[in-house]
Each structure stands twice: as structure tokens, then as C-alpha cells.
Amino acid sequence: MSQYMNFKFNAHNIYLFAYYLSNRNDALGEYEPDWLWNKCDEITAKIVKTEFHFNIKQYLDLENQAEEQWANLNKHFPETDDYHPMYVQPNKFLIDKTGEKIDCNNKTSIIYPVRLYDSYGLGIKLIIPKKENSNYLSGKDIGLLNPDNCLMLDVNKENKYFLGQTLLITINLESIYKLKYKYNPEKLRRIADRYIDSLLPEDFRRPPFNRSGFLFGSPIFQYGIIRAPKSYNHIIVWFIFNDVAEIKIEKNYQQLLDLFFFRSKVVNAYKQIKRFEQESKNISKTIHSQIKITQNYDNKPEVLEKEENIELDLDKLQDLLILLPRFSVEYAKNLRLVKEFQNVIVENTRNYEDKIYEMRSNFLNEDFSFLDLFIYRTCYPCQERIKGTVNFFQLDINLINNAIDSIRGQVEVEQAHRERQLQNTVTSVGLGIAVAGNFASSYEAGSIAENKDGKNPEFLNLSFNIHHFLLSFCISILFGLIIWQGFSRFFSWRYKKKQLIRNKDLN
């Protein structure tokens, strides 16, 4: 980007709207109750550069439990029907309680701390006075408005209690540029692009352009696409082409703070659902790989024909029976959270619609289609997408339960097979020994009869007994092994045939 921009500003202001859950949620990890207020102090110290240590929390009434869903947190103004902002200037802090005037010639920060339903809301308006005797605005000067990228509150997207933020930039061009670019939206967009490039650090990923339109008769450009979560940040650049637009922004500040809150709730809920969906997909992959490991065969049909690949690992099957119920519990927990966030999206879509309706009723002749697009192009498609996610969870839970039943059946069949195999082995060996014993006894009896006929008068000597004992023993073992092997192969062949048929049916 060039050192200077080829346009001049009458004024440009920055509005920051940020939101943070006010209650702990165990599913979101460790809670930092002062996180949002610490960020406010950091912005004030770095941008306004107060000469005193500003601590916003000492001016807040965080215990305010008003019946209304919305409450002003400025303890000096407990009423809930107005924001009563705090003013911070380089050398003092004012709450404007006594009507003291604010010197707008100095860089001034106006802070709006509020409670919004289940969250804290923080609005910060940075008033940037126009530089005198300056022909063009320096990109470096714009970068000084965001030292250390402090306007991006959660750069690494690590705090799950942070609901999100909207950065609204209003630019009031000099009259000559208003006339020149009034019917040239492409030129205005290039100005908006370059402003954002100057405001954000070079190593920070700029959110992509989303859409453009008009609001209060002035062109407006939106950045940030929720389908790109790594680069998502909601930034709006609004070119003020008439004085009425600026006045309407101030009058609708409360509505804008509420509106962007509902928007942040929808976007954050969608991001959380996508996170749970990815976690569950990883679990699903683990389940399938673990099941495949326990089956010592490949699912290819030509490999299934080979009987030697049908053997099952009983120990791994039993381990999987312990592991799968844990996965099922994890899935059920994620499904519950997905449905909770699904309700958040439905509820805040309705709140967003109601808020636009409220704004439209105050400005009957204004076109709010730019804000309406979020409902039709984001909220409703997200709801349809989440219905598919819920179905995915339910199908996978059913798959896990079916897998548990199937594996439990395999374990029972395998255990029964092994017990039967052991019983057959004992029976076969016993039968073999009995048959061989009968054979050996007959053989020995024949030998004794032969000796009684006088062919071998020394048949009772020790050598003769050892010879016949060893021969009888070896013949018994041989017959036992032959019969055991025969029975074992027959039962194993029949078991493998059953396994082969079952595996083919499963595939």
C-alpha cells in the first residue's frame, strides 16, 4: 500500500461492539470474569493514553440484577432506560453526571458497559479529530489507531466465552470526494479496503469482503464470511454522505449494540456447532479404524474369499466393547450441546428480526435490506445446515449402538467357539487315546500269546515290558493326534464358513 491515500477525510470514527458471556459454562472451559473489562482498560491505555490508571470495573455495577433483560452497568446511573456513557480523555475521566462538557478536540473514548441477557456488552466509540493542514491521510496514522492490534480482542480465538465483536468504521469524506465517488461504489470499496489494510497489522489476516449496500442513504461495506472461520472478523465501513446519517447512527446506538449482539450470538453458536461436528467426525474415524483393527480381514470381496483372514482378535474385541460406550457418551453430550446452540440460533434470529422491525418502525422511509440479508443469507441457511448436523449425530449414535451389539455378539460367538474347540480337543484326545489304548492292548495280548506258544520264553523280562510299553504309548499318542486334528479341522472349517457368510452379509 502506498504511503498516502488519495482522498481526504472530514472525520472518521471507530465503533467497537464486543460481547462476553456473563456466566460460567463447564462445557466452555475456564471462565475469566474480568476478561472483557481488562480488554477495555487495555484499549483505553493504548489508544487514549490516559495519564491515570483507568480501571473500568470500579465504575461498574456488575451485581445489577434488574428484572429487565437489559441493564446499564454504569453504577452512577442505575436507570435501565438509557446508556449514560463514560468519557475518557487523555487527562481525565468523566461520567457527565453533572452536565460537564466534553472537549472533542482531544482524542476521546466513549464507553458503554451494559448487561445484555446472559452476556456483558461493551461499546467503545473512538472519536478521531481531523488533522489540520494535512492534504492526505497517512496509512501510518490510521495504523496508530490500533496499536498492537488491540481492537481485535481475541486474535488467537482462544477464549470460548467471547461471543465476538463488530468493528464499525464511519468515514466522512470531504465534499469534493462525496460528489466524485457517489455513483462509484467500486472506488469506495477500494478506499474501504485500503483503510482496513492500514488499520490491521500486516501479519493479521484481513477478513474477506462480504457484501455492500446502503443504510440511511449512505453506502456501506461489510467484511467477514463465517464460512471462513480462521479469517472471520466482522468489520463494517460506512461512508457518511449526509449529516442526517450520523445523527441517525447516534440515535440508534442502543439498537445497533443490541442488533450486533444478536448477530454475534448466531455466529458464535454456528462456530461452536461446527467445532462439535468436527470433534465427532474425528471420533467417528477413530471408531471405524478401531473396528477395522479388530477384524483380521480386509473388506475387499476378493480377500474375504480367503478363509484364513476370518479369524477375530478376542482381546481387541473386548477392549473395543469398553471403548465404544465411552464414545457413545461423548457423542450424546455433543448432540445435546449442538441442540442447545441450535436453539440459540433460532432464538437470536428471531431477536434480530424483532430489532430490525423496531428500527424500521422508527424510520418508515429507510431501507434496511442490508441488515435483513443476514437473516436470509446466514441465519436460515445455518438452521437448515444444523438440522443435517443433528441427523449426522443421531445416525452415528445409532451406528455406535449397533456396533456394540454386533461386537458383543461376535465376542459371544468367538468365546463359544473357543470353548467348543477346547471341549472338542479334550474329547478328540480322549477318544484317540482310548482307541489307541485298545489297539495297543490287542497288540500286546497278541504278543503275549505268541510268547506262550514258545517262540519267546522270556516274554516276562524287563526289556520286553519296556519295549511294549513304549510302543503302546507312541501308538496311543499318534492315534490321539490324528483324531484330534481331524475333529479340530472339521469344526474350524464349519466355523469359518459361518463367519464368511456373516461377513458377506454385512458387506
Side-chain angles (χ1 to χ4, degrees):
M1 177 179 174
S2 59
Q3 183 180 2
Y4 297 100
M5 295 187 177
N6 56 348
F7 52 87
K8 299 178 183 179
F9 291 160
N10 272 336
H12 60 115
N13 299 321
I14 298 177
Y15 298 81
L16 172 66
F17 304 88
Y19 311 98
Y20 193 78
L21 285 174
S22 58
N23 298 315
R24 179 184 179 88
N25 186 331
D26 292 336
L28 300 178
E30 184 178 356
Y31 182 63
E32 301 175 51
D34 297 332
W35 186 88
L36 186 62
W37 314 126
N38 292 338
K39 290 293 182 180
C40 177
D41 294 342
E42 179 183 336
I43 291 173
T44 303
K46 290 184 177 180
I47 299 179
V48 184
K49 296 181 173 62
T50 56
E51 296 178 0
F52 61 93
H53 178 69
F54 179 69
N55 180 8
I56 187 176
K57 190 177 178 182
Q58 65 181 318
Y59 302 101
L60 302 180
D61 183 13
L62 298 178
E63 304 303 321
N64 190 333
Q65 299 295 335
E67 294 182 1
E68 291 80 359
Q69 296 286 357
W70 176 92
N72 175 38
L73 291 177
N74 185 345
K75 67 169 58 176
H76 300 285
F77 294 92
E79 297 88 355
T80 60
D81 59 347
D82 201 354
Y83 277 81
H84 299 295
M86 304 175 183
Y87 297 86
V88 181
Q89 292 189 224
N91 57 357
K92 57 184 173 180
F93 162 72
L94 302 171
I95 57 174
D96 202 26
K97 185 174 183 179
T98 59
E100 186 174 356
K101 294 183 178 180
I102 305 301
D103 182 9
C104 291
N105 291 323
N106 291 323
K107 186 187 300 181
T108 304
S109 174
I110 305 176
I111 301 174
Y112 301 83
V114 296
R115 183 192 301 280
L116 294 168
Y117 304 89
D118 63 346
S119 306
Y120 293 128
L122 175 66
I124 300 178
K125 178 182 178 182
L126 300 175
I127 301 175
I128 298 97
K130 179 184 176 183
K131 279 191 171 184
E132 300 295 335
N133 303 321
S134 177
N135 291 327
Y136 295 101
L137 184 70
S138 168
K140 182 178 181 181
D141 290 335
I142 295 177
L144 292 176
L145 301 176
N146 185 27
D148 299 327
N149 203 20
C150 63
L151 292 178
M152 295 289 108
L153 302 192
D154 190 18
V155 174
N156 297 321
K157 305 183 186 302
E158 295 177 345
N159 195 318
K160 294 183 176 61
Y161 290 89
F162 179 56
L163 297 175
Q165 67 178 77
T166 292
L167 205 61
L168 171 62
I169 301 162
T170 60
I171 298 177
N172 194 339
L173 296 172
E174 288 194 349
S175 299
I176 184 174
Y177 294 101
K178 289 181 183 179
L179 294 174
K180 186 177 180 180
Y181 300 142
K182 184 175 182 179
Y183 301 104
N184 192 343
E186 289 298 323
K187 182 64 176 180
L188 289 175
R189 179 187 163 182
R190 285 197 292 271
I191 295 175
D193 289 345
R194 294 170 70 180
Y195 188 101
I196 293 175
D197 287 338
S198 299
L199 184 68
L200 301 177
E202 292 183 0
D203 59 348
F204 186 79
R205 185 179 295 181
R206 180 171 67 86
F209 174 75
N210 189 329
R211 62 174 65 103
S212 63
F214 283 85
L215 190 60
F216 298 149
S218 296
I220 187 169
F221 299 86
Q222 179 174 265
Y223 296 79
I225 300 176
I226 64 173
R227 295 188 305 274
K230 292 184 179 180
S231 63
Y232 180 79
N233 280 287
H234 189 221
I235 300 179
I236 294 176
V237 179
W238 200 348
F239 291 92
I240 306 301
F241 272 30
N242 56 73
D243 295 336
V244 177
E246 193 83 41
I247 295 173
K248 289 180 178 179
I249 292 175
E250 296 298 331
K251 286 186 176 180
N252 281 271
Y253 189 89
Q254 176 177 343
Q255 283 74 17
L256 289 175
L257 185 58
D258 292 348
L259 189 74
F260 293 138
F261 168 68
F262 300 138
R263 187 186 195 282
S264 294
K265 291 279 281 187
V266 170
V267 173
N268 179 72
Y270 180 75
K271 288 164 59 179
Q272 296 298 330
I273 288 174
K274 293 294 292 182
R275 179 171 66 87
F276 292 131
E277 183 180 17
Q278 186 58 50
E279 289 179 1
S280 297
K281 284 183 177 179
N282 294 336
I283 292 174
S284 181
K285 290 180 181 178
T286 303
I287 291 171
H288 286 289
S289 63
Q290 289 295 325
I291 292 176
K292 188 174 181 180
I293 290 174
T294 61
Q295 314 290 320
N296 291 332
Y297 62 90
D298 198 317
N299 285 329
K300 296 179 180 179
E302 61 271 17
V303 180
L304 281 172
E305 296 296 335
K306 299 181 180 180
E307 294 182 1
E308 60 270 20
N309 292 320
I310 309 301
E311 293 296 335
L312 300 176
D313 190 324
L314 186 58
D315 292 335
K316 290 181 179 178
L317 283 173
Q318 290 174 332
D319 291 341
L320 193 57
L321 278 179
I322 298 174
L323 189 63
L324 282 178
R326 297 177 185 173
F327 285 148
S328 182
V329 171
E330 189 72 18
Y331 252 91
K333 184 192 75 173
N334 285 351
L335 177 60
R336 178 180 59 80
L337 293 172
V338 165
K339 288 186 175 181
E340 287 182 7
F341 282 113
Q342 183 182 27
N343 293 333
V344 169
I345 291 178
V346 172
E347 178 183 356
N348 285 279
T349 297
R350 184 169 56 251
N351 292 338
Y352 188 93
E353 288 182 291
D354 292 343
K355 185 57 63 175
I356 291 181
Y357 180 81
E358 177 186 336
M359 295 172 67
R360 186 177 279 114
S361 64
N362 295 329
F363 302 95
L364 298 178
N365 297 323
E366 290 292 346
D367 181 11
F368 287 88
S369 58
F370 177 81
L371 298 175
D372 283 333
L373 282 175
F374 176 71
I375 299 172
Y376 300 107
R377 295 186 60 178
T378 302
C379 295
Y380 291 158
C382 280
Q383 292 179 27
E384 294 300 320
R385 172 71 177 81
I386 291 167
K387 289 180 182 177
T389 301
V390 171
N391 290 335
F392 162 78
F393 273 89
Q394 291 174 336
L395 288 173
D396 252 23
I397 289 175
N398 293 336
L399 174 64
I400 293 175
N401 293 333
N402 291 337
I404 292 173
D405 293 338
S406 176
I407 293 173
R408 185 178 289 118
Q410 286 181 302
V411 169
E412 292 175 355
V413 171
E414 184 71 16
Q415 287 176 333
H417 167 67
R418 295 189 181 187
E419 290 174 0
R420 191 182 303 113
Q421 206 172 32
L422 178 61
Q423 183 180 3
N424 292 337
T425 300
V426 173
T427 302
S428 300
V429 171
L431 182 60
I433 292 175
V435 172
N438 290 333
F439 174 81
S441 299
S442 300
Y443 173 78
E444 184 177 354
S447 299
I448 294 174
E450 181 181 341
N451 287 328
K452 284 184 178 181
D453 292 337
K455 295 180 180 179
N456 189 0
E458 302 296 331
F459 68 92
L460 295 177
N461 62 40
L462 182 61
S463 175
F464 177 81
N465 290 335
I466 293 175
H467 169 74
H468 279 270
F469 171 77
L470 291 176
L471 183 60
S472 299
F473 178 78
C474 291
I475 292 174
S476 300
I477 294 298
L478 180 61
F479 269 84
L481 290 173
I482 292 173
I483 295 175
W484 169 63
Q485 283 293 323
F487 274 94
S488 296
R489 287 183 178 276
F490 171 74
F491 287 116
S492 179
W493 171 82
R494 190 170 66 174
Y495 172 74
K496 289 179 180 180
K497 280 298 182 183
K498 291 181 180 179
Q499 286 287 91
L500 182 61
I501 293 171
R502 182 166 64 249
N503 291 330
K504 286 183 177 179
D505 291 340
L506 289 175
N507 286 302

